[in-house]
Amino acid sequence: AHNVVVKFTYNYSAEGHRLLADHRMPEGVHALGAGMYVMVMERIADTDSERMMTEENHATLREAITLLHVHNLVFGDLRELNELLVKGSGLMLVDFDWCGQEGMAKYPGDMNDD
């Protein structure tokens, strides 16, 4: 038995996800009918709930964003909620719903008031 997280979404950047996965980031996405994707990811139980970002975590975040930008991609939902701190492994970006080509991918203004 595996402990997993399952997410259904209409928007998903396979290109951005693969790019960061090739550099040690998340895995496990499948296309569904009706224009939807299902993401099946291993649940990471050992996260840092106190959210203490180290300089190494900041460097990893800068590296991930730079890598996306070099490939003309943006991470459209960059916020603390999508920066997962894994004990012993560092930072991992999650939620590629609004990641996509620079100038085209946009986070909907009416999605989140935070």
Side-chain angles (χ1 to χ4, degrees), residues 46-66:
D46 203 11
T47 60
D48 187 349
S49 60
E50 295 187 21
R51 306 266 332 142
M52 298 301 294
M53 289 279 285
T54 65
E55 183 52 43
E56 185 177 339
N57 297 141
H58 286 286
T60 300
L61 181 58
R62 285 190 297 270
E63 181 182 340
I65 297 305
T66 298

Side-chain angles (χ1 to χ4, degrees), residues 31-46:
L32 287 178
M36 288 193 79
Y37 297 93
V38 61
M39 300 167 70
V40 180
M41 301 160 283
E42 177 183 355
R43 177 177 287 285
I44 300 174
D46 203 11

Side-chain angles (χ1 to χ4, degrees), residues 11-12 30 38 57 63 67 75 81 86 99 101:
N11 298 302
Y12 164 71
H30 306 280
V38 61
N57 297 141
E63 181 182 340
L67 184 61
F75 194 86
L81 187 66
V86 183
C99 179
Q101 289 294 316

Side-chain angles (χ1 to χ4, degrees), residues 8 19 36 43 78 84:
F8 295 88
L19 180 64
M36 288 193 79
R43 177 177 287 285
L78 186 59
L84 186 62

Side-chain angles (χ1 to χ4, degrees), residues 3-110:
N3 196 357
V4 297
V5 174
V6 178
K7 176 182 176 178
F8 295 88
T9 181
Y10 286 103
N11 298 302
Y12 164 71
S13 173
E15 183 180 9
H17 188 155
R18 266 191 228 106
L19 180 64
L20 294 185
D22 288 345
H23 289 82
R24 184 189 78 77
M25 297 236 172
E27 309 265 342
V29 177
H30 306 280
L32 287 178
M36 288 193 79
Y37 297 93
V38 61
M39 300 167 70
V40 180
M41 301 160 283
E42 177 183 355
R43 177 177 287 285
I44 300 174
D46 203 11
T47 60
D48 187 349
S49 60
E50 295 187 21
R51 306 266 332 142
M52 298 301 294
M53 289 279 285
T54 65
E55 183 52 43
E56 185 177 339
N57 297 141
H58 286 286
T60 300
L61 181 58
R62 285 190 297 270
E63 181 182 340
I65 297 305
T66 298
L67 184 61
L68 289 169
H69 289 182
V70 165
H71 290 86
N72 295 317
L73 296 170
V74 295
F75 194 86
D77 194 9
L78 186 59
R79 55 191 171 124
E80 192 173 283
L81 187 66
N82 294 330
E83 300 164 7
L84 186 62
L85 296 178
V86 183
K87 289 183 181 173
S89 296
L91 181 129
M92 178 185 291
L93 287 176
V94 296
D95 198 350
F96 287 78
D97 296 17
W98 308 109
C99 179
Q101 289 294 316
E102 181 181 355
M104 298 190 64
K106 294 184 173 129
Y107 187 84
D110 62 350

